[in-house]
Amino acid sequence: MSQRSLLGAFRQIGLLTGASRILGFGRDVAFATFLGAGPLADAFLVALKLPNMFRRLSAEGALTNAFVPSFSHIRAADGNDAAMKLAAEVQILLTLILLVIVVLAEFFMVDLVRLLAPGFVATQDRFDAAVALGRITMPYLPLISLVALWSAIANAHDHFAAGAIMPIFFNLCLIVGAMALPVMATGDVVTSAMPLAVALLVAGVVQLAVMFVILRRFGGTPAWIFPRLTAAGRAMWRKFTPAALAATAMQVNMLVDLILASLLPVGAISWLYYADRIVQLPLGIIGIALGTALLPKLSKAEAEQDQTSVGAILNDGIGLAGFFVIPAVTALICIAEPIISGLFAYGAFSAADAVVTALALQAYALGLLGFVATKLFQPAFYAAGQPATVLKISLLAVLVNVAGSLILMRIYGHVGLAIATSFSGVMAALMLGILLVRKGKLAQIPFGLIGRLCVASAFMAAGLLGTRQAMPDLPHALALVLLVVVGVVLYLAASVVLKTIPKGILRSRS
């Protein structure tokens, strides 16, 4: 396994993920402009959380982490046809299970919203709107979960662009929905948010159709078969169980923030949402993109019992991640308020909203290194068939997050929730890394490179803080552009001097 191979996959996924995240910012700017941070936004964001929460449990998280290693092992041992039979079996069972979940969720939606956002009970309009919108958005679950499974099949065939391009269609649909909000604006919260709820369902259908066409072009579409459970399927579902529980644990972390934020003043859910969206940019482009590229490659190396390649893959991943994440954390802390103001402080999103959202962004940024490292380390355990290890650490992280949230929210409000989430993420990453070192899978951590990256980021931080102090009073967007340009130039200049730029980052080298 060469660094060029990993770099090529990362570059492909990262560029497309970056494009989708930029569109995601366009979507969130539209949300901030037309939804703001009030009851309409809170109600829709809770409704959006429902299918996304179940999606991460069913396909995008747990099932993918269990499926890809099993698929790779079967293909290496018995050939592609046998692997595709497993895919077909998983596909039909997944679809049937999710349809049942949707029916149950529709029936118990009132109880689900009461569980996710107990604070909404005090504002009946907001509660009723979240229930109604949740019933509309819930059918998105089987659509996007099937898309996630098909993306995993494409990744296992080294077609990484297929899954990475899907969020682009999602964001385009929601931007159109957000732009339609003024047309439907009435005194009724449900009617006012209806364009976004409908856009979500349209996004699911579009993604499913595009993914089907892509898979059919290289013969990767699984057949629709009568539900059955073969020996290979049973083995995969046994791995899925601890992976699902681990994914559930991570969802609990997110639910803790949502539930507790609903007990805080109106707007807290939205402040945390917009701050989290900023952190998701580097997390998506770096952590998720690298994790997506690492899983099939680590699974292949484990299937071939090549532990030398496993260590090399992980070390290359750490080096690539560090080059991007360390300066990202530095910048998010130094210029949090200009970032929020430059992106969201328009229309219904006030200057006061920008200030408190920036504080949450800084708190989330403290945990970004941990979030990304977790995304890099977890695939090593899934590829080795050890999802129970991830589960145990995830459960411990949940306990730490819950305890920290209950304590810190009393002192720092919504910012305390973000601090607790960050601390639990860093703790989980440290524990996973220590275990990988003990198992001999992470033998040569590039500490020298990490130190030089910290020096380059510190140089950038000094320039950003100085520029922010000396900068004249400019429009928010223009000020943000200026700070970004200054930060990028300073960091790249320092990186050239300190020789920290990864080889082949701009183009593949033979």
Side-chain angles (χ1 to χ4, degrees):
M1 168 65 200
S2 66
Q3 185 186 41
R4 186 164 61 91
S5 175
L6 176 61
L7 184 59
F10 166 66
R11 186 165 50 230
Q12 186 181 56
I13 300 170
L15 287 174
L16 288 172
T17 302
S20 73
R21 298 289 170 159
I22 291 171
L23 281 174
F25 278 129
R27 179 198 73 204
D28 291 332
V29 168
F31 281 8
T33 301
F34 298 114
L35 283 175
L40 178 62
D42 284 356
F44 176 73
L45 293 177
V46 168
L48 179 63
K49 179 76 69 176
L50 280 168
N52 280 336
M53 176 183 67
F54 285 106
R55 178 199 71 193
R56 293 187 178 100
L57 299 181
S58 62
E60 196 170 86
L63 188 58
T64 301
N65 289 330
F67 172 77
V68 172
S70 297
F71 186 92
S72 299
H73 279 271
I74 291 175
R75 190 166 62 161
D78 303 318
N80 190 66
D81 289 343
M84 288 307 297
K85 287 181 180 178
L86 172 65
E89 177 185 326
V90 172
Q91 174 180 258
I92 187 64
L93 289 174
L94 174 68
T95 302
L96 292 175
I97 292 170
L98 292 179
L99 289 175
V100 172
I101 290 175
V102 169
V103 172
L104 291 174
E106 295 286 345
F107 187 77
F108 293 105
M109 188 59 66
V110 173
D111 300 299
L112 281 174
V113 172
R114 187 177 289 116
L115 174 65
L116 293 177
F120 280 21
V121 176
T123 50
Q124 192 63 40
D125 288 346
R126 190 168 54 152
F127 181 84
D128 292 341
V131 171
L133 293 172
R135 285 181 169 140
I136 297 171
T137 59
M138 197 65 199
Y140 178 68
L141 169 62
L143 297 174
I144 194 58
S145 294
L146 197 54
V147 169
L149 175 63
W150 288 358
S151 298
I153 295 171
N155 290 344
H157 286 89
D158 290 334
H159 290 269
F160 295 102
I165 202 173
M166 290 299 107
I168 292 178
F169 295 102
F170 171 82
N171 287 320
L172 286 173
C173 289
L174 262 69
I175 287 173
V176 173
M179 292 174 66
L181 287 173
V183 178
M184 298 294 291
T186 65
D188 178 71
V189 178
V190 177
T191 304
S192 298
M194 189 63 68
L196 280 176
V198 173
L200 183 67
L201 296 180
V202 172
V205 173
V206 170
Q207 290 176 93
L208 191 66
V210 174
M211 197 72 222
F212 176 79
V213 172
I214 292 173
L215 284 184
R216 190 171 61 177
R217 286 183 176 177
F218 66 86
T221 306
W224 289 96
I225 61 174
F226 185 79
R228 55 187 172 183
L229 203 59
T230 62
R234 287 194 296 272
M236 195 285 297
W237 289 111
R238 282 195 295 270
K239 294 179 182 178
F240 167 76
T241 301
L245 292 174
T248 302
M250 299 310 295
Q251 291 305 303
V252 169
N253 265 345
M254 299 174 65
L255 288 178
V256 166
D257 285 357
L258 180 65
I259 292 170
L260 296 180
S262 76
L263 302 174
L264 295 172
V266 172
I269 290 177
S270 302
W271 301 330
L272 289 171
Y273 171 81
Y274 290 120
D276 178 66
R277 293 304 303 158
I278 302 297
V279 173
Q280 289 297 320
L281 178 64
L283 179 59
I285 296 177
I286 305 160
I288 296 176
L290 265 177
T292 301
L294 285 171
L295 181 58
K297 296 182 182 301
L298 288 168
S299 297
K300 182 180 179 181
E302 289 285 357
E304 297 171 353
Q305 298 183 346
D306 186 356
Q307 295 302 308
T308 300
S309 291
V310 170
I313 293 169
L314 288 172
N315 282 330
D316 288 342
I318 291 172
L320 286 171
F323 178 75
F324 293 103
V325 178
I326 294 175
V329 171
T330 305
L332 290 178
I333 293 174
C334 290
I335 57 171
E337 190 170 338
I339 290 174
I340 297 297
S341 297
L343 290 173
F344 302 131
Y346 310 100
F349 196 90
S350 68
D353 289 326
V355 172
V356 292
T357 302
L359 294 174
L361 174 57
Q362 290 175 319
Y364 277 136
L366 294 174
L368 182 57
L369 280 171
F371 301 150
V372 172
T374 298
K375 292 293 183 183
L376 296 186
F377 295 156
Q378 284 183 345
F381 293 94
Y382 290 123
Q386 300 170 344
T389 301
V390 178
L391 169 60
K392 294 174 184 177
I393 292 176
S394 298
L395 290 174
L396 182 58
V398 168
L399 294 176
V400 170
N401 183 52
V402 171
S405 295
L406 290 172
I407 295 171
L408 294 176
M409 72 176 287
R410 298 175 181 273
I411 305 172
Y412 302 112
H414 71 290
V415 179
L417 300 180
I419 293 173
T421 299
S422 292
F423 180 79
S424 66
V426 171
M427 183 204 71
L430 287 173
M431 295 182 69
L432 289 170
I434 290 171
L435 287 176
L436 287 174
V437 171
R438 289 181 176 179
K439 292 176 180 291
K441 296 179 183 292
L442 197 58
Q444 297 178 345
I445 302 175
F447 288 114
L449 172 61
I450 293 173
R452 297 198 306 277
L453 290 171
C454 290
V455 172
S457 297
F459 178 72
M460 178 195 70
L464 285 175
L465 293 174
T467 302
R468 187 177 175 186
Q469 290 293 326
M471 190 169 53
D473 188 16
L474 300 173
H476 294 320
L478 184 58
L480 176 58
V481 170
L482 175 60
L483 288 169
V484 169
V485 171
V486 169
V488 170
V489 170
L490 291 176
Y491 179 68
L492 288 179
S495 297
V496 170
V497 173
L498 296 171
K499 298 180 180 179
T500 59
I501 299 178
K503 294 181 180 179
I505 193 68
L506 299 178
R507 62 182 179 87
S508 298
R509 298 180 181 181
S510 56

